Amino acid sequence: HGINNEGILEEWATDGGDRKDVFFYQADDEHYIPRAILVDLEPRVVNSILSSSHAALYNPENIFVSKDGGGAGNNWAMGYSAGEKHYEEIMEMVDREAEGSDSLEGFMLMHSIAGGTGSGLGSFLLERLNDKFPKKLIQTYSVFPNNTADVVVQPYNSLLAMKRLANHADSVVVVDNAALTRIVADRLHGVEDAAASFTQANQLVATVMAASTQTLRYPGYMNNDLVGIIASLIPTPRCHFLTTSFTPFTSESMDKAKSTRKTTVLDVMRRLLQPKNRMVSTSPSKTSCYISILNIIQGDVDPTDVHQSLLRIRERQMANFIPWGPASIQVAITRKSPYVTTSHRVSGLMLANHTSMASLCKRALDQYDRLRKRNAFLEQYKREKPFAGGFEEFDDSRAVVEELMREYLACENADYISYADTAEQA
């Protein structure tokens, strides 16, 4: 975007043709301020931002850190209760930003679902945003945990958050830690230094997020708003968990990436379909298939090449689609940012809705069941208000995630259209 760390538009970035007002607004002195609210229950991460080179970029009125400063103790219920306690302060920031928008289309929420703040406070905000702005879209970028638990109660937190993601979000872009770790190790020459690997994983997520909003910032004749993107990917409301792939992994910020020598449109589109470039670790079955695919292709692209590439992919049957919907890859061609120099001609992001997301639900359910069977670590939840009357919230969340898994599996059948009627009768 050509905006520097202090919010000043660089002189060489005045005619890039992008819409800076999508994610920034201008202050009285003409410098740019991000439309962002930073919320945390403990100060460590926010302080690291405020002591970084980007400290002057954010609006200090849009930063909320709990005065208690103790965090949520990796406990969903504690994070949720903190949301109720600090509701007025946080919503006042949201209202101020919403009212300052000329044409508010929706909200983007970035959070993790394994710990306490991202899952608990994130769940609370999802519910309240949905209640307060029922006609606005909510898209989340949700970090799903590794198979090996860093937090012992991670299965509880994840399941409780997944219920809210299923019921209150319009679109969930799944950012899977297990897949990120694999890509950093394999594709980006992951280094032994844990901090450097962590930085690379963050850069990878930032690259995907930037690419997924590219058509909003560099609008064309299609997919230039959030509704258009979501509508083309999510034919039925509940199956809204999206996987991503990106190629090539080469840029200034990822200088250790393995080089991708050729970037024709066909090469990029073919690589996007390869499992190793997928940023969600699922276990596809033989019947797993795509519900929808949107490829956002950036760079020097001829529409004729896109058409021929789509024909080639269809001829070779590289992607299996659901039997009850259109078996086609949608493509949005967008300009590459003139502010970022890259060595490749074409890059691509795939946003896909795939039935193998059922395996992610199954993984969450299995991990939850193993803990719940032993009634392990329930005391710390019982102390919080959401569980004061018992553990119905756990049972309800489990039922929602199991139903989500069943619906994704049902999508693989030709008679899915009648699934809702069948589910209601059951």
Side-chain angles (χ1 to χ4, degrees), residues 53-104:
S53 56
H54 291 80
L57 185 62
Y58 295 96
N59 180 356
E61 289 184 344
N62 283 6
I63 297 173
F64 174 84
V65 179
S66 170
K67 292 180 180 65
D68 308 337
N74 290 322
N75 181 331
W76 179 92
M78 202 183 284
Y80 192 89
S81 299
E84 293 181 325
K85 182 178 170 187
H86 300 298
Y87 171 74
E88 296 294 337
E89 281 178 85
I90 297 171
M91 271 336 243
E92 194 266 325
M93 296 178 188
V94 174
D95 284 338
R96 189 176 63 245
E97 285 298 319
E99 284 161 14
S101 305
D102 292 335
S103 177
L104 178 66

Side-chain angles (χ1 to χ4, degrees), residues 125-237:
L125 288 176
L126 269 175
E127 290 177 354
R128 293 301 175 271
L129 285 172
N130 210 354
D131 288 344
K132 198 170 174 64
F133 301 93
K135 293 186 177 175
K136 304 300 178 190
L137 290 171
I138 300 175
Q139 180 171 40
T140 76
Y141 291 85
S142 305
V143 180
F144 278 59
N146 276 327
N147 295 340
T148 52
D150 299 326
V151 178
V152 72
V153 290
Q154 166 184 304
Y156 289 158
N157 296 334
S158 298
L159 199 82
L160 292 160
M162 282 176 77
K163 172 191 167 183
R164 273 75 190 180
L165 290 173
N167 290 344
H168 299 288
D170 295 289
S171 161
V172 177
V173 178
V174 177
V175 180
D176 186 9
N177 254 341
L180 286 179
T181 307
R182 171 180 53 76
I183 290 170
V184 166
D186 174 41
R187 313 286 292 163
L188 300 178
H189 295 312
V191 280
E192 292 302 313
D193 180 8
S197 290
F198 186 66
T199 302
Q200 284 187 331
N202 278 343
Q203 286 170 349
L204 197 51
V205 175
T207 303
V208 166
M209 287 175 64
S212 69
T213 59
Q214 193 85 355
T215 56
L216 308 179
R217 293 177 290 116
Y218 292 85
Y221 65 93
M222 277 179 73
N223 301 109
N224 52 16
D225 59 3
L226 206 51
V227 175
I229 294 171
I230 289 176
S232 62
L233 282 166
I234 300 166
T236 59

Side-chain angles (χ1 to χ4, degrees), residues 241-256:
F241 288 73
L242 306 177
T243 69
T244 56
S245 296
F246 186 83
T247 188
F249 293 124
T250 51
S251 73
E252 280 184 309
S253 57
M254 292 179 218
D255 51 359
K256 291 178 184 264

